[in-house]
Amino acid sequence: MKRFTPPEQWQVSSLKSGAFEHLRTLFNIDKQTDWPCPDWFAPYLKAINANNLPIRFEDDATIDFGERYYEQVIFETGIVPTRTKNWHDLFGGFIWCLFPKTKALINQRHVEEIAQHGLKQRTKHRNALTLFDECGVVLAISESKWQALLTEHQWKTAFVTHRDEWGKTIKPFMFGHANYEMMTKPYIGLTGKALFVCVPDEIFCKDLVTQYQYLDQLLYEKIKIEHCLADNKQLSPLPLLGVPGWHDANVNESFYDNTDYFRAKRRIRK
């Protein structure tokens, strides 16, 4: 399988799909003529880490890591090492702006796990945190049928039959910054990990900023109190190009006929 490589140059055309609609709306990212520098995020950042230090982004080439791991640097200093002209780190910055409480909690959990188990032994909790951080999609749902349909891989029913309900009783919010990076050059096979979050119907009528604030608090509680990322069992595969509005080709029902991508649920024989 060919290794994914994002566009090497800054190009707004990579951000035109519906998957980037929230970033265009909240950050006007499509108006940028060149790579944003790390301190570009400052007006949007309201994140405080678990050490009560304000989060800020700095060029990772200027940071002395010493013997510290990436997550430890963030926890001990509030500085997020950020590579310039890098899609992955750029999208990571957006997630810190949109989910500040959840990102700070994930950072804290990594540091606690490292302190207890060291860097060589990755626990199920750290694996789940990393998977969600890189590939997570928060699916806000007000009807339980969505979780049943999508976890059972009833793709056509969810994406075609009930297509007009997207945005009304279900709405996707990207969390994984690796998802965003790969959506700059989408390919068949691109799959995220869905985490279902139950919300009241009225949340879909709120403005986008309010929706993110609400979800950030909800996610924080689900991870901290409900331990939803104790392992990856609550994360479900989600073919990202199938999400209505996220890929132009999926307006045609035949797009979902590709069973190599929209795979049936694998049944475990007892």
Side-chain angles (χ1 to χ4, degrees):
M1 181 177 178
K2 184 179 178 180
R3 182 180 179 183
F4 172 81
T5 54
E8 293 184 4
Q9 305 298 323
W10 175 259
Q11 50 189 51
V12 172
S13 59
S14 297
L15 308 171
K16 291 295 187 183
S17 83
F20 299 99
E21 179 185 356
H22 294 179
L23 302 188
R24 295 195 299 266
T25 300
L26 298 175
F27 302 98
N28 293 315
I29 190 60
D30 55 322
K31 304 298 191 297
Q32 285 291 124
T33 57
D34 202 354
W35 293 97
C37 56
D39 62 6
W40 178 87
F41 289 102
Y44 304 103
L45 263 178
K46 297 179 182 178
I48 305 292
N49 74 5
N51 258 343
N52 204 33
L53 296 171
I55 291 294
R56 62 191 191 279
F57 298 94
E58 292 187 11
D59 185 345
D60 76 332
T62 68
I63 298 170
D64 179 13
F65 280 72
E67 299 298 321
R68 297 175 300 187
Y69 180 63
Y70 173 84
E71 298 287 356
Q72 292 169 315
V73 172
I74 298 173
F75 184 79
E76 293 175 11
T77 68
I79 297 171
V80 179
T82 306
R83 293 167 291 183
T84 59
K85 299 183 179 181
N86 182 278
W87 291 106
H88 193 84
D89 288 6
L90 172 68
F91 293 126
F94 288 127
I95 303 303
W96 268 105
C97 295
L98 295 170
F99 295 97
K101 293 191 69 173
T102 304
K103 285 289 289 183
L105 176 60
I106 288 175
N107 171 244
Q108 179 185 12
R109 287 296 178 86
H110 273 296
V111 171
E112 291 173 347
E113 291 284 294
I114 291 170
Q116 184 174 354
H117 302 283
L119 286 169
K120 292 184 179 180
Q121 179 183 351
R122 289 188 65 94
T123 62
K124 289 183 179 180
H125 185 35
R126 275 197 74 204
N127 283 339
L129 291 169
T130 300
L131 187 60
F132 183 66
D133 204 18
E134 296 285 343
C135 305
V137 180
V138 180
L139 288 182
I141 58 173
S142 61
E143 294 184 2
S144 60
K145 72 180 182 188
W146 291 110
Q147 185 166 357
L149 289 173
L150 291 168
T151 57
E152 289 299 312
H153 296 192
Q154 299 298 308
W155 306 122
K156 276 199 171 183
T157 305
F159 293 142
V160 178
T161 306
H162 296 292
R163 192 178 189 87
D164 62 348
E165 295 180 46
W166 284 77
K168 299 175 182 177
T169 61
I170 181 172
K171 187 170 181 177
F173 295 81
M174 199 81 85
F175 192 96
H177 50 290
N179 286 345
Y180 268 137
E181 180 184 25
M182 289 185 285
M183 286 296 288
T184 61
K185 195 188 289 186
Y187 60 90
I188 297 297
L190 182 50
T191 302
K193 292 294 183 179
L195 179 67
F196 297 90
V197 176
C198 296
V199 300
D201 275 322
E202 56 265 27
I203 199 65
F204 298 111
C205 300
K206 304 291 185 182
D207 63 271
L208 200 53
V209 171
T210 301
Q211 290 176 347
Y212 271 102
Q213 290 173 342
Y214 180 87
L215 288 174
D216 187 30
Q217 180 62 37
L218 207 58
L219 274 176
Y220 176 86
E221 294 172 0
K222 284 183 70 66
I223 296 170
K224 185 179 179 65
I225 300 171
E226 299 178 26
H227 307 293
C228 69
L229 295 180
D231 52 38
N232 62 18
K233 292 179 180 178
Q234 292 195 40
L235 299 176
S236 183
L238 181 71
L240 298 182
L241 304 191
V243 174
W246 278 15
H247 188 58
D248 290 345
N250 74 30
V251 297
N252 298 311
E253 183 176 341
S254 60
F255 179 73
Y256 298 96
D257 291 337
N258 184 346
T259 54
D260 286 333
Y261 185 34
F262 298 100
R263 297 181 178 183
K265 180 82 169 182
R266 180 181 297 176
R267 304 297 175 182
I268 300 176
R269 295 182 178 180
K270 295 183 179 179

